[in-house]
Amino acid sequence: MPRTVLVLGGSSDIGFAIARAYAGHGWSVILAGRSEKDLARNRDDLVTRFGTSARTVPFDVLADPLRVLEGLAEFPDTVVCVVGLLGDQQSAQADPGHAASILRTNFEGPALVLGEIANRMMERGFGTIVGISSVAGDRGRASNYVYGSAKAGFSAFLSGLRARASHRGVHVLTVKPGFVRTAMTAGMKLPPAVTAEPDEVGRAVYRAAETTRRNVIYVRPVWRLIMLIIAHIPERIFKRLRF
Ligand SMILES: NC(=O)c1ccc[n+]([C@@H]2O[C@H](COP(=O)([O-])OP(=O)(O)OC[C@H]3O[C@@H](n4cnc5c(N)ncnc54)[C@H](OP(=O)(O)O)[C@@H]3O)[C@@H](O)[C@H]2O)c1
């Protein structure tokens, strides 16, 4: 029997690239998300390209995030949460509603659904959970601290969950992609040396989750060094920086 991966956020460029990486290794794929049209397009592509079994399930992380679990015929071997919202920092500063959407989409919703999935996997005795977090969570910056703080919370949640679940046969991987060329970053000027393509993220996630069983990865390793330096800038200097 092929193993099954559930991708929460299966309409996104990164989610679809991860789905392709798993399908390429013979896995069955379940794509979850809000847009049935986008999910169906990705599902059909997976079936045509890889001859794999693929299906879709409705999922909104802000509206009853656990409902997605009721629509599953069998519980997946691996669950990847790609859901996220970059939002707009300026708008979030002025509009608590927008700030709440960013905080809830990147932290609260993913944490609630992955927490419940982890409980079920621990009961079963095996499983893998992958959370797509961000280097933005390694230190809050003036230009995107609402998104960054939500990702920081998500990274901390995954860290604690990993420590708890590792004793019960469940592996938890945290992924910090760095810049990736996707719909989310369309129109931004991204430095090519530190910008990954979605398929690079897909391959890195598959390898780290299913082969090398890593705990935390930066897709381009240089990001670990960049964030180490940024994390060590003294606060009295950091607060004067505008980036
Ligand atoms: N691109 C980058 O440079 C970069 C860097 C670091 C981390 N990341 C993270 O990587 C992940 C994927 O990002 P991306 O670049 O591929 O951008 P994206 O296309 O904007 O992906 C965001 C995904 O989240 C889903 N989503 C948003 N709100 C949702 C909700 N309420 N319920 C269910 N799904 C929801 C979107 O679904 P809809 O299609 O329904 O909106 C989409 O599938 C995100 O978590 C992002 O924070 C991206």
Side-chain angles (χ1 to χ4, degrees), residues 57-121:
V57 286
F59 171 63
D60 186 334
V61 84
L62 296 182
D64 198 359
L66 304 189
R67 216 180 63 197
V68 67
L69 304 181
E70 292 162 16
L72 301 175
E74 88 273 19
F75 209 70
D77 298 84
T78 294
V79 176
V80 185
C81 182
V82 187
V83 171
L85 173 66
L86 182 59
D88 178 74
Q89 173 66 29
Q90 300 275 340
S91 308
Q93 287 163 198
D95 172 8
H98 185 56
S101 296
I102 298 172
L103 295 168
R104 293 185 61 216
T105 305
N106 291 292
F107 177 41
E108 182 190 276
L112 291 177
V113 71
L114 293 186
E116 179 55 26
I117 285 167
N119 287 342
R120 296 190 191 192
M121 285 181 170

Side-chain angles (χ1 to χ4, degrees), residues 15-157:
F16 186 33
I18 292 170
R20 284 197 296 273
Y22 275 83
H25 284 86
W27 287 56
S28 295
V29 178
I30 307 169
L31 301 171
R34 295 182 293 188
S35 164
E36 174 52 29
K37 186 167 154 265
D38 292 347
L39 294 176
R41 186 196 56 226
N42 290 352
R43 176 199 61 207
D44 294 348
D45 185 276
L46 291 174
V47 172
T48 308
R49 207 190 298 210
F50 299 100
T52 189
S53 139
R55 58 190 188 283
T56 66
V57 286
F59 171 63
D60 186 334
V61 84
L62 296 182
D64 198 359
L66 304 189
R67 216 180 63 197
V68 67
L69 304 181
E70 292 162 16
L72 301 175
E74 88 273 19
F75 209 70
D77 298 84
T78 294
V79 176
V80 185
C81 182
V82 187
V83 171
L85 173 66
L86 182 59
D88 178 74
Q89 173 66 29
Q90 300 275 340
S91 308
Q93 287 163 198
D95 172 8
H98 185 56
S101 296
I102 298 172
L103 295 168
R104 293 185 61 216
T105 305
N106 291 292
F107 177 41
E108 182 190 276
L112 291 177
V113 71
L114 293 186
E116 179 55 26
I117 285 167
N119 287 342
R120 296 190 191 192
M121 285 181 170
M122 282 187 268
E123 225 166 81
R124 183 179 65 181
F126 70 92
T128 299
I129 289 173
V130 180
I132 307 297
S133 190
S134 173
V135 299
D138 287 6
R139 191 162 191 185
R141 294 184 292 118
S143 61
N144 78 341
Y145 64 84
V146 177
Y147 172 80
S149 62
K151 288 296 194 184
F154 188 44
S155 292
F157 181 89

Side-chain angles (χ1 to χ4, degrees), residues 11 13 42 44 54 94 105 159 167 177 181 188 223 227:
S11 60
D13 293 334
N42 290 352
D44 294 348
T105 305
S159 170
H167 306 286
R181 219 177 303 281
M188 293 182 189
W223 274 105
M227 296 318 297

Side-chain angles (χ1 to χ4, degrees), residues 21 65 85 99 148 150 218 220:
L85 173 66
Y218 291 76
R220 293 224 169 163

Side-chain angles (χ1 to χ4, degrees), residues 123-209:
E123 225 166 81
R124 183 179 65 181
F126 70 92
T128 299
I129 289 173
V130 180
I132 307 297
S133 190
S134 173
V135 299
D138 287 6
R139 191 162 191 185
R141 294 184 292 118
S143 61
N144 78 341
Y145 64 84
V146 177
Y147 172 80
S149 62
K151 288 296 194 184
F154 188 44
S155 292
F157 181 89
L158 293 170
S159 170
L161 186 63
R162 173 164 44 249
R164 174 179 160 232
S166 65
H167 306 286
R168 305 271 303 274
V170 177
H171 181 65
V172 177
L173 167 68
T174 306
V175 178
K176 301 183 183 184
F179 296 139
V180 187
R181 219 177 303 281
T182 67
M184 186 181 266
T185 54
M188 293 182 189
K189 277 193 182 159
L190 303 176
V194 292
T195 303
E197 296 299 327
D199 278 324
E200 194 178 337
V201 181
R203 286 191 298 272
V205 166
Y206 183 85
R207 192 169 51 245

